[in-house]
Amino acid sequence: MRTHNLGYPRIGNHRELKKACESYWANKITQSELLATAKQIRLNNWQLQNEEGIELIPVNDFTFYDHVLDTSLMVGAIPPRYAPLLQKTSLNEIDWMFAMARGYQKDGLDLTAMEMTKWFDTNYHYIVPEFTAGQTFSLFSEKIIRHFEESKEAGINGKPVIVGPFSFLYLGKEKDKGFNRLSLIDQLLPVYVQVLEKLRTAGAEFIQFDEPCLTLDLTHEELQLFKKVYHTLKIATPQLHFILAAYFDGYGKNLSTVLELPVDTLHLDLVKCPEQLDHLIENRLNDSPLRFSLGIVDGRNIWKNDFEQSLQLIKKAQKAFGNDRLWIAPSCSLLHVPCDLSLETNEEALPATIKNWMSFAKQKLQELSLLADLAGDRPKQATLSAYGNNKAAIYSKQHSDLIHQTHVKARVQALQASDATRNQSFEYRKQQQQLVLQLPDFPTTTIGSFPQTKEIRAWRAQHKKGVLSDTTYDTLIKEEITKAIRWQEETGIDVLVHGEFERNDMVEYFGEQLNGFVFTANGWVQSYGSRCVKPPVIFGDVQRVAPMTVAYTSYAQSLTQQPVKGMLTGPVTILNWSFVRNDQPRAVTCLQIALAIRDEVKDLENAGINIIQIDEPALREGLPLKQSERESYLNWSVNAFKVASSGVKDATQIHTHMCYCEFNDIMPAIAALDADVITIETSRSQMELLDAFVEFKYPNDIGPGVYDIHSPRVPAKEEMIQLIEKTLAFLPADRVWINPDCGLKTRGWEETKPALTSMVDAARELRIKHPATVNQ
Ligand code: GLN
Ligand code: ZN
């Protein structure tokens, strides 16, 4: 059985790529220094994969920014607005690529960046290709060929990886109205053919086409297009061994078409969809020469592979297809997991027992080699002993009392429908809340965080290291809270926040205080470009040990007569932004988190906090790729939010916040959350996103963000009034809140103060121009 890998993390063990790119952007290093760092990462990765016994090693999985953007450059799909840059002899391919990814504001040019969006249901973001009617393509960047040559020089059996032509078009966006981007396929294919021919000439024997769109619901026409694409490519380069890879789910209804494609090896994600193997066996492909790549090691999560389970699958496949037709691989590119577990050396943060359950990219490759050996006739002695260790680790994970807390499981079991519903209707609650809160029309508020200054970050870091004592740190944070409260009062904001100065990250802050979470020191994963995230690891039953936010929130409330809003991160967002357990359904883990948040909500309420916001910016992210699974996800995720939020009195006002997503297709779910107020991002799209709420007749109060906090630009009062007036055509004035469109932690006070001051002025003017009815 051959082992191969679909892609390796390109950020480097210590985020060398991030650091090099950012230094290059800041003109601190030259382009040749940047190139040298990149080359070293590639060589290290190839060498490492080689040493771990991987037979076919991916090439062209490396990118400075994003592999989809690289594909746009490969085929010359460069939006016309960048044309002036292509004239500049002082720039080259790398600079153009960065300009497309990040925009270009220099030498009198102001070119906006290309759009970025989420890569399927992962937290990786790709740069969306832009297409226009009648667009032509031509081979522009030969990076794939250069990298293949480089791998040959390094003595590597390289397998170039390329985004398949269908997925490339499908994942893009039409910039002109009235045409379908898929109709560009005839223009596009000759460029792919040219690339394949060049690779072939350079000595490539294999090529991996990534067509993850094959796990989506596709139409008949779209599937027909696949046939055309792969017939064309295969006829052009019959000598190349085609590997077709889709991942993140099974092929589902697309399988029969996929099996007709002229490819040599078909990759299957058997982690997300182990049933696929049975579907293949049912298809009786006995006489077909097609090979299968069994994606058996989880490329999306950080748990050790269960060898016994994997071997059962492998043996089933061996029996059906014979050993020679089988390869094994990770389920998808290892891009989505951190590099190397052995870099985690802080036993206090990551105890040895838990670490022994885990596996990062490098370890996953070791697992592949061991599995290949174990599936053969005569496994090595060392492999057998590794198998013994694996069994012991899996057994320990199944039974450890670090993981399993009977009372947590019992509490989830005992949940009733009534735990997930407020006692009274929204209308009734709104009256009760108004009696307590006495808010004006168009109440003003913010989303929670205030600027995280350099000083605040430094205090947190020093506190973590033990340089700042608990008391000193606490005093410093309280001083910041006091300043923030005073400033909000002076500015005339109606619902105040404490500012979230004590929080590093909206998930990590809670995870660190909950049982069942651990944090790695170096478990970085690329999110987009040079941005990496370090997701928490949920390893066990989640339990709150003590109140997490009550102290600072009530401190803030003690300083003012105005209502202070308690700020919490919702269960679905905590779940979706973490590495999760693979030994129980996500829905169950989510309910455990929901109960912890519910307890926090109760404690805040008991401490006299009358407004509590539960943020769920990641609700939409968890949406399954296949339509058929969406309803179930939305049901359990909404239910978890409601478990977290429904334990309060009628007079306690629950807010939620969501940003950066299309709301249209999940409107019923958003309404079902039954939050008293939702604040949403809308300003970048000039309130277009609000249409979904209007069309759906969203029943509760709504705060459409009136200005974009992602830019340092200070908006004028009139702009904000105009945006709100646009919405007043559709929403009754007494249901509208006035707020920015997200938290302000990435902004400075210099721009935050004038922006919020204008926002308050805007609300004051609106109250005069559009008197509502609440207080009459
Ligand atoms: N309350 C959070 C903040 O203001 C919300 C962040 C978010 O929406 N991502 O920072
Ligand atoms: Zn937000």
Side-chain angles (χ1 to χ4, degrees), residues 447-449 500 506 567 615 617 657 659 742-743 745:
I447 306 303
S449 58
E500 300 182 23
M506 64 186 290
M567 302 300 315
D615 291 325
H657 165 71
C659 46
C742 198
K745 60 180 166 240

Side-chain angles (χ1 to χ4, degrees), residues 668-714:
I670 296 180
L673 297 176
D674 196 23
D676 298 299
V677 182
I678 183 167
T679 55
I680 51 167
E681 181 268 327
T682 38
S683 65
R684 275 209 304 195
S685 63
Q686 291 290 306
M687 298 280 159
E688 252 171 50
L689 287 173
L690 193 67
D691 291 351
F693 286 80
V694 171
E695 234 160 78
F696 182 79
K697 302 199 173 38
Y698 181 75
N700 301 3
D701 281 6
I702 203 172
V706 293
Y707 78 90
D708 177 13
I709 61 91
H710 295 84
S711 136
R713 198 175 153 266
V714 176

Side-chain angles (χ1 to χ4, degrees), residues 92 115 188 210 249 265 396 436 505 573 586 609 625 770:
N92 60 21
E115 202 180 303
L188 180 64
D210 280 352
D249 208 341
T265 297
S396 135
V436 178
D505 168 276
T573 296
R586 278 158 74 221
I609 303 301
L625 299 177
H770 305 273

Side-chain angles (χ1 to χ4, degrees), residues 220-508:
H220 176 73
E221 290 70 39
E222 287 163 350
L223 284 168
Q224 289 309 308
L225 205 57
F226 261 101
K227 290 193 190 167
K228 172 173 170 169
V229 166
Y230 284 92
H231 277 111
T232 311
L233 298 179
K234 192 70 198 182
I235 288 169
T237 45
Q239 317 88 331
L240 272 175
H241 182 118
F242 281 20
I243 303 157
L244 182 67
Y247 31 76
F248 306 143
D249 208 341
Y251 291 99
K253 294 200 183 84
N254 307 333
L255 183 65
S256 52
T257 310
V258 168
L259 289 173
E260 288 171 28
L261 297 177
V263 299
D264 303 280
T265 297
L266 180 66
H267 175 77
L268 309 162
D269 182 339
L270 292 182
V271 173
K272 178 71 207 282
C273 189
E275 319 82 81
Q276 275 201 107
L277 187 56
D278 299 320
H279 300 162
L280 276 186
I281 295 173
E282 282 158 24
N283 266 287
R284 291 178 217 272
L285 298 157
N286 300 350
D287 324 315
S288 139
L290 186 62
R291 293 176 178 79
F292 302 104
S293 151
L294 312 176
I296 212 148
V297 168
D298 194 348
R300 290 283 295 273
N301 214 334
I302 43 69
W303 302 112
K304 211 167 236 180
N305 188 267
D306 181 340
F307 283 2
E308 204 171 335
Q309 230 177 45
S310 296
L311 284 169
Q312 274 173 17
L313 275 179
I314 295 175
K315 292 216 165 108
K316 200 197 272 184
Q318 282 174 324
K319 206 166 139 221
F321 304 116
N323 213 29
D324 295 345
R325 282 174 65 192
L326 297 180
W327 299 10
I328 55 171
S331 58
C332 59
S333 164
L334 296 173
L335 165 69
H336 309 287
V337 292
C339 294
D340 183 359
L341 183 65
S342 65
L343 300 172
E344 299 299 323
T345 48
N346 182 348
E347 259 236 38
E348 237 171 87
L350 185 59
T353 319
I354 300 177
K355 184 174 165 189
N356 189 38
W357 300 331
M358 293 163 60
S359 151
F360 290 178
K362 180 175 175 195
Q363 288 69 35
K364 285 174 188 286
L365 297 176
Q366 294 164 353
E367 293 178 341
L368 274 184
S369 291
L370 290 168
L371 280 170
D373 194 21
L374 283 171
D377 297 333
R378 238 167 300 140
K380 295 192 214 68
Q381 199 49 46
T383 307
L384 290 173
S385 87
Y387 189 15
N389 293 341
N390 180 275
K391 278 189 185 156
I394 300 296
Y395 183 90
S396 135
K397 182 163 165 256
Q398 276 159 358
H399 298 94
S400 169
D401 49 16
L402 287 175
I403 296 184
H404 303 283
Q405 309 293 327
T406 331
H407 54 283
V408 175
K409 296 189 205 290
R411 222 181 140 197
V412 168
Q413 279 287 317
L415 276 169
Q416 312 263 323
S418 59
D419 295 320
T421 6
R422 299 286 297 266
N423 293 325
Q424 296 288 343
S425 69
F426 166 70
E427 288 73 25
Y428 180 85
R429 297 190 317 249
K430 180 163 170 153
Q431 282 170 9
Q432 299 300 306
Q433 291 160 14
Q434 185 57 15
L435 287 178
V436 178
L437 297 170
Q438 302 284 325
L439 293 169
D441 301 334
F442 300 108
T444 50
T445 190
T446 57
I447 306 303
S449 58
F450 275 130
Q452 290 257 336
T453 59
K454 249 199 237 124
E455 294 77 45
I456 295 175
R457 287 174 202 276
W459 299 338
R460 262 211 318 272
Q462 287 166 358
H463 180 229
K464 207 168 180 176
K465 278 193 210 136
V467 182
L468 267 189
S469 73
D470 289 353
T471 7
T472 320
Y473 176 72
D474 190 56
T475 312
L476 289 167
I477 293 289
K478 283 185 169 155
E479 279 170 15
E480 285 305 302
I481 294 178
T482 311
K483 278 193 263 175
I485 292 288
R486 292 288 164 258
W487 183 79
Q488 293 172 88
E489 280 184 325
E490 281 158 27
T491 311
I493 296 177
D494 302 304
V495 171
L496 315 191
V497 295
H498 77 287
E500 300 182 23
F501 303 112
E502 75 288 10
R503 303 187 189 175
N504 34 7
D505 168 276
M506 64 186 290
V507 170
E508 195 168 324

